[in-house]
PDB file of all heavy atoms in Angstrom:
ATOM      1  N   ALA A 113      86.589 -71.120 140.985  1.00  0.00           N
ATOM      2  CA  ALA A 113      88.047 -71.057 141.026  1.00  0.00           C
ATOM      3  C   ALA A 113      88.642 -72.400 141.423  1.00  0.00           C
ATOM      4  O   ALA A 113      89.690 -72.811 140.898  1.00  0.00           O
ATOM      5  CB  ALA A 113      88.486 -69.968 142.008  1.00  0.00           C
ATOM      6  N   GLN A 114      87.980 -73.103 142.337  1.00  0.00           N
ATOM      7  CA  GLN A 114      88.457 -74.413 142.771  1.00  0.00           C
ATOM      8  C   GLN A 114      88.418 -75.434 141.630  1.00  0.00           C
ATOM      9  O   GLN A 114      89.166 -76.410 141.634  1.00  0.00           O
ATOM     10  CB  GLN A 114      87.613 -74.917 143.948  1.00  0.00           C
ATOM     11  CG  GLN A 114      87.862 -74.140 145.238  1.00  0.00           C
ATOM     12  CD  GLN A 114      86.870 -74.496 146.333  1.00  0.00           C
ATOM     13  OE1 GLN A 114      86.029 -75.372 146.157  1.00  0.00           O
ATOM     14  NE2 GLN A 114      86.989 -73.816 147.473  1.00  0.00           N
ATOM     15  N   LYS A 115      87.522 -75.166 140.659  1.00  0.00           N
ATOM     16  CA  LYS A 115      87.425 -76.043 139.488  1.00  0.00           C
ATOM     17  C   LYS A 115      88.306 -75.551 138.346  1.00  0.00           C
ATOM     18  O   LYS A 115      88.273 -76.109 137.237  1.00  0.00           O
ATOM     19  CB  LYS A 115      85.972 -76.114 139.012  1.00  0.00           C
ATOM     20  CG  LYS A 115      85.017 -76.726 140.029  1.00  0.00           C
ATOM     21  CD  LYS A 115      83.589 -76.706 139.495  1.00  0.00           C
ATOM     22  CE  LYS A 115      82.622 -77.270 140.525  1.00  0.00           C
ATOM     23  NZ  LYS A 115      81.209 -77.224 140.029  1.00  0.00           N
ATOM     24  N   GLY A 116      89.062 -74.475 138.616  1.00  0.00           N
ATOM     25  CA  GLY A 116      89.942 -73.936 137.593  1.00  0.00           C
ATOM     26  C   GLY A 116      89.241 -73.049 136.585  1.00  0.00           C
ATOM     27  O   GLY A 116      89.778 -72.785 135.504  1.00  0.00           O
ATOM     28  N   LEU A 117      88.029 -72.564 136.942  1.00  0.00           N
ATOM     29  CA  LEU A 117      87.252 -71.736 136.025  1.00  0.00           C
ATOM     30  C   LEU A 117      87.342 -70.267 136.435  1.00  0.00           C
ATOM     31  O   LEU A 117      87.389 -69.933 137.620  1.00  0.00           O
ATOM     32  CB  LEU A 117      85.781 -72.175 136.018  1.00  0.00           C
ATOM     33  CG  LEU A 117      85.522 -73.633 135.593  1.00  0.00           C
ATOM     34  CD1 LEU A 117      84.049 -73.975 135.784  1.00  0.00           C
ATOM     35  CD2 LEU A 117      85.936 -73.846 134.145  1.00  0.00           C
ATOM     36  N   LYS A 118      87.355 -69.372 135.460  1.00  0.00           N
ATOM     37  CA  LYS A 118      87.401 -67.939 135.723  1.00  0.00           C
ATOM     38  C   LYS A 118      85.998 -67.414 136.038  1.00  0.00           C
ATOM     39  O   LYS A 118      85.002 -67.956 135.545  1.00  0.00           O
ATOM     40  CB  LYS A 118      87.965 -67.199 134.505  1.00  0.00           C
ATOM     41  CG  LYS A 118      89.423 -67.510 134.211  1.00  0.00           C
ATOM     42  CD  LYS A 118      89.896 -66.710 133.006  1.00  0.00           C
ATOM     43  CE  LYS A 118      91.364 -67.001 132.706  1.00  0.00           C
ATOM     44  NZ  LYS A 118      91.846 -66.225 131.534  1.00  0.00           N
ATOM     45  N   PRO A 119      85.914 -66.335 136.828  1.00  0.00           N
ATOM     46  CA  PRO A 119      84.596 -65.727 137.090  1.00  0.00           C
ATOM     47  C   PRO A 119      83.965 -65.218 135.797  1.00  0.00           C
ATOM     48  O   PRO A 119      84.660 -64.715 134.919  1.00  0.00           O
ATOM     49  CB  PRO A 119      84.933 -64.560 138.026  1.00  0.00           C
ATOM     50  CG  PRO A 119      86.253 -64.899 138.615  1.00  0.00           C
ATOM     51  CD  PRO A 119      86.995 -65.661 137.550  1.00  0.00           C
ATOM     52  N   ARG A 120      82.679 -65.371 135.680  1.00  0.00           N
ATOM     53  CA  ARG A 120      81.953 -64.837 134.530  1.00  0.00           C
ATOM     54  C   ARG A 120      81.208 -63.582 134.978  1.00  0.00           C
ATOM     55  O   ARG A 120      81.094 -63.320 136.176  1.00  0.00           O
ATOM     56  CB  ARG A 120      80.954 -65.877 134.017  1.00  0.00           C
ATOM     57  CG  ARG A 120      79.975 -66.335 135.086  1.00  0.00           C
ATOM     58  CD  ARG A 120      78.837 -67.130 134.496  1.00  0.00           C
ATOM     59  NE  ARG A 120      77.964 -67.667 135.532  1.00  0.00           N
ATOM     60  CZ  ARG A 120      77.075 -66.953 136.206  1.00  0.00           C
ATOM     61  NH1 ARG A 120      76.954 -65.654 135.982  1.00  0.00           N
ATOM     62  NH2 ARG A 120      76.312 -67.524 137.128  1.00  0.00           N
ATOM     63  N   PRO A 121      80.708 -62.792 134.038  1.00  0.00           N
ATOM     64  CA  PRO A 121      79.927 -61.616 134.444  1.00  0.00           C
ATOM     65  C   PRO A 121      78.723 -62.022 135.298  1.00  0.00           C
ATOM     66  O   PRO A 121      78.085 -63.053 135.044  1.00  0.00           O
ATOM     67  CB  PRO A 121      79.475 -61.013 133.112  1.00  0.00           C
ATOM     68  CG  PRO A 121      80.497 -61.471 132.124  1.00  0.00           C
ATOM     69  CD  PRO A 121      80.889 -62.856 132.574  1.00  0.00           C
ATOM     70  N   ILE A 122      78.431 -61.214 136.308  1.00  0.00           N
ATOM     71  CA  ILE A 122      77.287 -61.468 137.188  1.00  0.00           C
ATOM     72  C   ILE A 122      76.026 -60.939 136.506  1.00  0.00           C
ATOM     73  O   ILE A 122      75.979 -59.797 136.062  1.00  0.00           O
ATOM     74  CB  ILE A 122      77.486 -60.761 138.541  1.00  0.00           C
ATOM     75  CG1 ILE A 122      78.757 -61.276 139.223  1.00  0.00           C
ATOM     76  CG2 ILE A 122      76.277 -60.962 139.442  1.00  0.00           C
ATOM     77  CD1 ILE A 122      79.168 -60.468 140.446  1.00  0.00           C
ATOM     78  N   ARG A 123      75.017 -61.779 136.429  1.00  0.00           N
ATOM     79  CA  ARG A 123      73.770 -61.407 135.747  1.00  0.00           C
ATOM     80  C   ARG A 123      72.787 -60.799 136.747  1.00  0.00           C
ATOM     81  O   ARG A 123      72.417 -61.419 137.737  1.00  0.00           O
ATOM     82  CB  ARG A 123      73.162 -62.625 135.061  1.00  0.00           C
ATOM     83  CG  ARG A 123      74.073 -63.180 133.970  1.00  0.00           C
ATOM     84  CD  ARG A 123      73.537 -64.483 133.419  1.00  0.00           C
ATOM     85  NE  ARG A 123      74.469 -65.074 132.462  1.00  0.00           N
ATOM     86  CZ  ARG A 123      74.341 -66.307 131.966  1.00  0.00           C
ATOM     87  NH1 ARG A 123      73.326 -67.062 132.334  1.00  0.00           N
ATOM     88  NH2 ARG A 123      75.226 -66.763 131.108  1.00  0.00           N
ATOM     89  N   LEU A 124      72.343 -59.577 136.440  1.00  0.00           N
ATOM     90  CA  LEU A 124      71.512 -58.799 137.351  1.00  0.00           C
ATOM     91  C   LEU A 124      70.135 -58.526 136.769  1.00  0.00           C
ATOM     92  O   LEU A 124      69.966 -58.451 135.550  1.00  0.00           O
ATOM     93  CB  LEU A 124      72.172 -57.449 137.652  1.00  0.00           C
ATOM     94  CG  LEU A 124      73.610 -57.447 138.155  1.00  0.00           C
ATOM     95  CD1 LEU A 124      74.126 -56.010 138.225  1.00  0.00           C
ATOM     96  CD2 LEU A 124      73.707 -58.113 139.513  1.00  0.00           C
TER      97      LEU A 124
END
Side-chain angles (χ1 to χ4, degrees):
Q114 289 171 3
K115 297 178 182 178
L117 300 174
K118 294 181 179 180
R120 57 168 175 76
I122 300 170
R123 297 173 185 170
L124 307 173

